[in-house]
Amino acid sequence: MVTFLAGGTGTPKLLDGAARVWEPAETAVVANTGDDVELGGHLVCPDVDTVLFAGGGVLDRETWWGIDGDTTATHAELGRLAEAAGLEAGPRYLDADAQTAGREIARWRRFSAVAEFMEIGDRDRAVHLTRTGLLDEGHTLTAAVRTLADAFGLDVDLLPMSDNPVATLVHTEAGETLHFQEYWVARRGEPAVADVEFRGADDAEPTDAVLAALDDPVVIGPSNPVTSIGPMLALPGFERALRETPVVAVSPFVGDEVFSGPAADLMAGVGREPSTAGVAAAYPFADAFVLDDADPTELDRHIERTDTEIDDADDAERVARACERALAAVDDDAADAPPPREGAE
C-alpha cells in the first residue's frame, strides 16, 4: 500500500506512471481542498478533479484541468449576459455574511456566477453540480467524491483531505486578501505575496479515511509545498501522522529553479527559500527525497537522483521508480537502526 499527497499538477503527473510501480487498488490519493471554491452555488474542487479526470481517462492534458474536448457554452453565455447587462466581470466575491452562510464546506470561498472568472466546461460543470447535489442531500465530501470516483471508474482510492472547510488565502504586499484561485487564475500570480493563510484549518481535521491512508508509506510528488501541500500540513494531526510513517518527497525544483507554477513566489512570500533546500526545510518529516540529476543540493536525508521532469507516462514511471527505491532505502535504514534502549520512548 502507498499513499500520494496530491495538489496542482505535480503529483497527478507522477500518478501517470505510478500504476506501473504500485497496484492502483492498493494506492490512495489524498487531495488538497484548500483551493476549492463555490462558484455560482456549485462546489468546484480543482485538485480533486484533476486526479478524478486523469484516472477516468478524460483529463485535458494540454491544460491539466477540465475535461478533454469539453464545450464551454454556459461559461460563454454567462460572460455575454454580464456584458450585455453592464455587470462588472469577476471575480465577484459574495459578501461577508454570505461567506459563512449555506453549506459549511464552502465557507470563505464563495463567488457569484456573474461573469464567472474560472472557465468551467459544460461536462465539467455537471460534475460540480452532482457533487454539490450530493452534499445538499447530506453526504460528506468524502462520500460525494467516492461516488464520483466510482462513476469515472477510478482504480485508486481518492480522498479529499478533510470534510471541513479550509480556504487558501493569499495576502499581498498591497494589503489585499485574495482567494488562491483569484491570485492564480484571475490575477495570473502577479501580485507580490506577503503571506499565505489556511483559513479554518485549526478547526478542521483529516478524515478517518485520510488518517488510515497515512499509516502507509507516503509519496509527495513535485507539488507546490505552500498551496498544494501546505493546507494538508495545516490540519491538526496531519504532520504528526507523517512523522510516524515513511515519507519520500519529489522536489518541484532543480536547485533554485522551479519546474512550473507559482511555487517560488509563494515560498519566498511565506519566508522560505525558493529551492530544493527550502522544500526540505518545509518537510522536516520527510525521510528521503527524489532530486533531479542536475540538482546540486545536498541534504541530511537519503537522496535518490533521476531526471525528474515529467512529460509523459514513461517519465512518470521513471520518477515513481526512484520513489520506490527511496522508500526501500528508508525501510532498510529502519531495519538497521539499533533497537530503542529499555525505557526509551
Side-chain angles (χ1 to χ4, degrees), residues 44 85 87 146 160 173 179 212 225 251 291 295:
V44 182
L87 298 171
R146 183 170 292 121
E173 291 186 356
H179 187 279
S251 177
L291 306 186
D295 193 325

Side-chain angles (χ1 to χ4, degrees), residues 260-273:
S260 64
D265 290 340
L266 289 162
M267 288 185 72
V270 300
R272 290 201 179 276
E273 180 182 333

Side-chain angles (χ1 to χ4, degrees), residues 32 58 107 151 222 227 341:
N32 169 47
V58 299
R107 285 183 176 176
T227 53
R341 299 186 310 275

Side-chain angles (χ1 to χ4, degrees), residues 56-81:
V58 299
L59 179 68
D60 183 337
R61 290 174 180 271
E62 292 296 318
T63 60
W64 278 87
W65 56 266
I67 294 176
D68 188 34
D70 205 352
T71 55
T72 55
T74 303
H75 175 81
E77 183 65 7
L78 285 168
R80 189 198 69 79
L81 285 172

Side-chain angles (χ1 to χ4, degrees), residues 6-8 31-39 42-50 93 99 105-111 117-118 128 131 135 141-142 145 159-169 179-182 199 227 231:
N32 169 47
T33 59
D35 59 2
D36 294 2
V37 297
E38 187 180 272
L39 184 59
H42 59 272
L43 186 66
V44 182
C45 302
D47 288 351
V48 170
D49 290 346
T50 297
Y93 289 90
Q99 289 292 344
I105 192 66
R107 285 183 176 176
W108 315 295
R109 46 191 177 184
R110 287 191 163 95
F111 294 85
F117 72 100
M118 299 174 69
H128 308 322
R131 174 169 42 230
L135 292 170
L141 182 59
T142 296
V145 169
L159 304 169
M161 70 183 198
S162 180
D163 287 331
N164 307 121
V166 178
T168 298
L169 304 178
H179 187 279
F180 176 73
Q181 294 299 346
E182 178 176 4
R199 186 168 295 178
T227 53

Side-chain angles (χ1 to χ4, degrees), residues 4-17 29 31-32 35 46-52 54 59-66 180-181 184 220-225 227-229 232 250-252 258-263 308-312 316 319:
F4 288 81
L5 305 188
T9 63
T11 300
K13 287 181 177 180
L14 179 59
L15 288 169
D16 262 359
V29 180
N32 169 47
D35 59 2
D47 288 351
V48 170
D49 290 346
T50 297
V51 178
L52 183 71
L59 179 68
D60 183 337
R61 290 174 180 271
E62 292 296 318
T63 60
W64 278 87
W65 56 266
F180 176 73
Q181 294 299 346
W184 184 237
I220 304 175
S223 294
N224 184 322
T227 53
S228 292
I229 305 301
M232 301 186 210
V250 182
S251 177
V258 70
F259 273 111
S260 64
T308 57
E309 186 169 4
I310 302 175
D311 291 325
D312 56 29
V319 178

